[in-house]
Amino acid sequence: MIALAVAAGVFAAAWLNIGFYYSLTASVLLVVLYLILVQKKFCYVAIKTIPRDVKALYTYIQILWITRKFSKLNLTVPDIFHDTVQKHPDKACFLFKDEVWTFKEVEDYSLRVTAVLKSQGVKKGDIVGLLFNNCPQMPAVWMGIARLGGVAPLINTNQRGNALLHSINVAKCDYLIFSDEYQSAVQDVAGQLSPSLKLYKFTHRDLNSSSGKSGEGGDAIQDFTNLLETTPPATWTLADGEGFEGKLLYIYTSGTTGLPKAAVISNARFVFMAAGIHFWRLNSSDIIYCPLPLYHTAGGVISVGQALILGCTVVLKAKFSASQYFPDCAKYNATAAHYIGEMCRYVLATPPSPADTQHNVRVIYGNGLRPQIWTEFVKRFNIKYVTEFYGATEGNANIANTDGTPGAIGFVSRIIPRVYPIAIIKVDQETGEPIRDQKGLCQLAEPNEPGVFIGKIQTRNPARQFLGYVDKSASEKKIVRDVFEHGDSAFISGDILVADELGYLYFRDRTGDTFRWRGENVSTTEVEAAVSRCADHRDAVVYGVLVPNIEGRAGMCGLVDAAGTLDLRALHERLARDLPVYARPVFMRIMDSVDMTGTFKMKKTDLQKEGFDPALVKKDKLYYLDPKLGQYLPLGKEEYEKIVSGQIRL
């Protein structure tokens, strides 16, 4: 403020002495000179990032414009889809196996679903769970539910037993529609389900095949497909829901750290996420390849949304196949493709073939393309653009890497930081709690300083609201208050990110996944990437384990070697070149396989509980790193006891 006052005084004095024009010219020159001499760093950052930030600002305005348009009309996703259908009813909406579903056919199917469910008593506010495999009918079914004002929880098809029971109960389902291949899974928990829950089985079959009722105990399981085939479609009307800001879907978190939580997806959030990816590199003429499960946000919202909201053609795949990823893209003439998690590593691990470049894919988008394989992947498969994005299912903020900077998941503007209300704040690396200043407010992380990603909550902006989970107590845990001023609030992601001096953001770890060993913080994500790369792209999951009488947690790595061909001595030699001493895994667990979520994230909770105790690890081989020999040695009961007693020093 003092500097501004001095500048104003100098300008006024110059104006009085030499006139307005000359004083203005002199002032501009002085400002430029000041920036060059005093603010060199700011000038450098501005010059480097202005093109990126201007493009991002333009795209953000497009996203805000489309969400504002739908908000004013108070439309739901089925209403918006109807407008898309009117533009090109006979265009392919979904391609699946050898099937072609036009936009009109998808809407007609959803209207038939509306008619069936209305006749079954479904009404506004009811919860109709879906346990569906990937197919064009799935989004058509949940649109049919939404037209009645119902909400559709999209249940993870990998859930069984208690996890499945939890997913149904936590969403408070009134109805459950499941694909026939999951009938045994549903019947296994049927005795523990609410007697009022109505069950419907969906079957993929020809029109001439038989139909009827089936079930055992309690209410009969009704044949949903038979009801669809014998019920005329409803007449199209606007949805009887809560409008643009109303609930649309419940999508479950991936469950890497326990039972999944049901996150609320509103119509506004659905549109914002789909548009947020579309306006970077996609257009309505694109054919998008999506081998991801439709019960999760990535496939079921972001890619499906490209068709429903923005008029693209989307290729659905029943199940991801690394060897068929680019051959499928060529088969369907895809121009864009979606990835997530470890998919790119699996595709990269396939043997090179002519199919690697015999496709028309110009852009891939998703999250989880690791920096260590980014350049190799793009070069081998001849990909022109990569849009790596980041955002939690339950969150209120998404970011994207818009210019293909390898490894970056997005950016924060260094010259106009308040345009998009996100930030990286300082936190305690072990507890994840924000570090506050003397006023009790959060502190922004400095460039290259790890911090947690937050999205500021703005209740009047549909795209910035935080809807959280169905479980309100779980939602409250994801809100941090008194962030930059007393009384404000933000969604706290729990993800540790780092921003460089240009504002590019890089994923570091999950809060709680980073552990401390030998006085140093160890990132599980970075170690997993290094181990996988050194072990020929095998699955690797890293976690910290407690060792009695030793401070911190020792690194342990579960590594898949089903064929038994892993050379641990060679692996350690490679890791010694890639990782500092404190980051190298102290323990190794060689496994036949590792449990994965449906979105290709590795589960580590049970592995961490079992630790390096041979009494708990029954079938896998354990090893410990002998620091003197510099190699991994077998770990049995005797070695375990010596480590615990301190006779073997780590």
Side-chain angles (χ1 to χ4, degrees):
M1 292 299 295
I2 295 174
L4 287 175
V6 171
V10 171
F11 176 77
W15 185 4
L16 292 172
N17 284 283
I18 60 175
F20 176 80
Y21 175 77
Y22 292 107
S23 62
L24 180 61
T25 303
S27 298
V28 170
L29 291 174
L30 284 172
V31 169
V32 172
L33 186 62
Y34 169 79
L35 291 174
I36 293 174
L37 295 177
V38 182
Q39 297 290 339
K40 291 181 181 178
K41 190 173 182 179
F42 177 82
C43 290
Y44 169 76
V45 171
I47 291 169
K48 293 282 287 185
T49 62
I50 279 176
R52 177 198 70 185
D53 291 4
V54 169
K55 181 180 179 183
L57 180 60
Y58 173 70
T59 302
Y60 187 46
I61 290 171
Q62 287 181 293
I63 297 167
L64 292 178
W65 178 83
I66 194 171
T67 53
R68 184 73 57 86
K69 179 180 72 171
F70 295 143
S71 179
K72 283 185 176 180
L73 296 172
N74 204 28
L75 300 179
T76 66
V77 169
D79 303 331
I80 299 167
F81 180 62
H82 181 69
D83 291 340
T84 309
V85 173
Q86 298 304 302
K87 293 175 184 175
H88 32 61
D90 298 322
K91 179 182 176 180
C93 181
F94 295 121
L95 304 178
F96 179 68
K97 298 179 180 179
D98 295 324
E99 302 174 16
V100 178
W101 286 66
T102 66
F103 279 83
K104 186 177 187 305
E105 287 171 333
V106 173
E107 183 173 56
D108 287 347
Y109 195 94
S110 77
L111 289 168
R112 196 176 290 272
V113 170
T114 297
V116 167
L117 293 179
K118 187 174 183 179
S119 71
Q120 295 295 307
V122 175
K123 60 187 182 302
K124 184 176 180 179
D126 282 348
I127 310 299
V128 185
L130 298 184
L131 183 64
F132 259 66
N133 55 1
N134 278 16
C135 60
Q137 292 94 327
M138 183 181 177
V141 170
W142 64 248
M143 279 197 293
I145 296 167
R147 192 174 288 107
L148 291 170
V151 181
L154 307 183
I155 299 173
N156 187 325
T157 57
N158 295 299
Q159 304 291 7
R160 297 292 184 274
N162 287 334
L164 176 59
L165 186 66
H166 167 82
S167 294
I168 296 170
N169 289 338
V170 76
K172 301 180 176 66
C173 291
D174 302 298
Y175 302 79
L176 177 66
I177 307 171
F178 58 89
S179 298
D180 55 355
E181 59 263 55
Y182 306 117
Q183 181 167 349
S184 62
V186 172
Q187 289 178 329
D188 285 344
V189 299
Q192 302 173 70
L193 294 171
S194 169
S196 64
L197 179 68
K198 297 180 181 179
L199 302 176
Y200 298 84
K201 181 177 71 173
F202 171 79
T203 307
H204 293 274
R205 66 164 183 258
D206 295 331
L207 292 176
N208 296 325
S209 59
S210 60
S211 62
K213 292 185 178 181
S214 63
E216 52 181 56
D219 291 342
I221 298 175
Q222 297 193 62
D223 191 324
F224 191 66
T225 305
N226 181 57
L227 291 171
L228 288 171
E229 293 167 356
T230 57
T231 304
T235 303
W236 182 86
T237 59
L238 289 171
D240 184 25
E242 298 294 339
F244 190 61
E245 296 184 30
K247 297 177 182 178
L248 176 68
L249 305 169
Y250 293 158
I251 293 184
Y252 297 81
T253 58
S254 55
T256 53
T257 57
L259 291 172
K261 295 185 283 290
V264 178
I265 305 295
S266 66
N267 293 275
R269 180 82 176 134
F270 187 100
V271 170
F272 187 81
M273 285 193 284
I277 292 302
H278 184 86
F279 289 115
W280 291 115
R281 296 285 183 191
L282 301 177
N283 56 69
S284 60
S285 63
D286 274 319
I287 298 174
I288 299 169
Y289 179 65
C290 175
L292 281 61
L294 300 189
Y295 57 73
H296 198 63
T297 309
V301 174
I302 292 174
S303 274
V304 166
Q306 302 309 314
L308 304 188
I309 306 300
L310 298 144
C312 299
T313 297
V314 175
V315 181
L316 303 177
K317 178 84 172 176
K319 189 176 182 181
F320 165 71
S321 166
S323 61
Q324 292 302 306
Y325 191 91
F326 282 107
D328 275 348
C329 288
K331 173 183 175 181
Y332 293 105
N333 198 29
T335 54
H338 197 164
Y339 64 86
I340 195 171
E342 299 294 317
M343 276 187 178
C344 291
R345 182 168 60 81
Y346 294 147
V347 175
L348 190 62
T350 60
S353 77
D356 291 350
T357 56
Q358 292 176 349
H359 57 79
N360 294 318
V361 175
R362 77 177 191 285
V363 56
I364 59 172
Y365 65 89
N367 60 296
L369 178 54
R370 294 191 176 190
Q372 293 81 1
I373 66 169
W374 185 301
T375 302
E376 183 182 358
F377 188 92
V378 169
K379 184 177 180 181
R380 174 178 163 182
F381 298 107
N382 193 30
I383 304 300
K384 189 173 183 180
Y385 301 113
V386 178
T387 301
E388 171 83 5
F389 63 84
Y390 165 87
T393 297
E394 70 278 22
N396 68 336
N398 298 76
I399 52 176
N401 176 349
T402 59
D403 58 8
T405 299
I409 62 171
F411 69 92
V412 289
S413 175
R414 293 299 191 196
I415 55 176
I416 45 173
R418 294 191 178 275
V419 170
Y420 193 53
I422 61 170
I424 310 297
I425 61 171
K426 296 180 181 181
V427 294
D428 183 296
Q429 292 289 303
E430 293 190 9
T431 66
E433 289 297 314
I435 297 174
R436 298 181 179 272
D437 60 20
Q438 293 179 342
K439 297 179 180 179
L441 301 176
C442 296
Q443 302 179 63
L444 287 174
E446 298 294 330
N448 300 311
E449 179 184 16
V452 165
F453 176 83
I454 63 167
K456 196 167 182 182
I457 297 171
Q458 298 173 344
T459 55
R460 294 183 180 180
N461 183 345
R464 307 297 307 162
Q465 294 172 351
F466 174 64
L467 302 177
Y469 308 108
V470 174
D471 181 350
K472 296 304 178 186
S473 62
S475 299
E476 190 61 30
K477 294 176 182 178
K478 302 295 288 187
I479 299 175
V480 59
R481 303 186 187 281
D482 299 331
V483 185
F484 301 125
E485 57 186 42
H486 291 286
D488 69 354
S489 60
F491 161 74
I492 185 164
S493 68
D495 289 332
I496 303 292
L497 307 185
V498 174
D500 65 16
E501 66 174 354
L502 299 180
Y504 287 106
L505 298 170
Y506 299 87
F507 182 84
R508 175 65 64 86
D509 228 327
R510 288 282 303 168
T511 302
D513 277 356
T514 296
F515 59 89
R516 196 164 180 82
W517 179 246
R518 301 306 188 198
E520 300 284 353
N521 291 324
V522 181
S523 166
T524 60
T525 304
E526 292 180 4
V527 178
E528 284 170 357
V531 173
S532 178
R533 183 176 62 253
C534 293
D536 300 320
H537 301 297
R538 287 177 170 87
D539 284 334
V541 55
V542 174
Y543 44 96
V545 293
L546 290 171
V547 181
N549 303 313
I550 298 181
E551 185 180 353
R553 293 177 182 265
M556 186 165 183
C557 177
L559 189 58
V560 174
D561 182 35
T565 58
L566 180 67
D567 185 337
L568 280 174
R569 183 186 292 271
L571 174 62
H572 180 262
E573 290 174 355
R574 294 171 188 164
L575 290 175
R577 292 192 294 267
D578 277 24
L579 292 173
V581 174
Y582 64 82
R584 297 170 200 164
V586 175
F587 300 105
M588 281 285 181
R589 177 174 178 168
I590 307 303
M591 310 179 294
D592 290 334
S593 62
V594 61
D595 288 340
M596 306 282 283
T597 70
T599 50
F600 298 91
K601 297 175 183 176
M602 290 175 279
K603 297 182 179 180
K604 61 179 70 176
T605 305
D606 291 340
L607 297 176
Q608 196 163 21
K609 288 178 181 177
E610 293 171 354
F612 62 100
D613 187 349
L616 298 177
V617 181
K618 301 294 186 182
K619 64 176 183 177
D620 299 330
K621 294 180 180 178
L622 295 175
Y623 299 85
Y624 73 96
L625 180 61
D626 186 310
K628 293 182 179 179
L629 298 176
Q631 59 182 286
Y632 289 102
L633 301 179
L635 195 166
K637 180 181 179 182
E638 182 181 348
E639 290 79 14
Y640 174 77
E641 291 175 349
K642 287 183 178 180
I643 291 172
V644 171
S645 65
Q647 295 178 58
I648 293 179
R649 295 183 179 276
L650 301 175

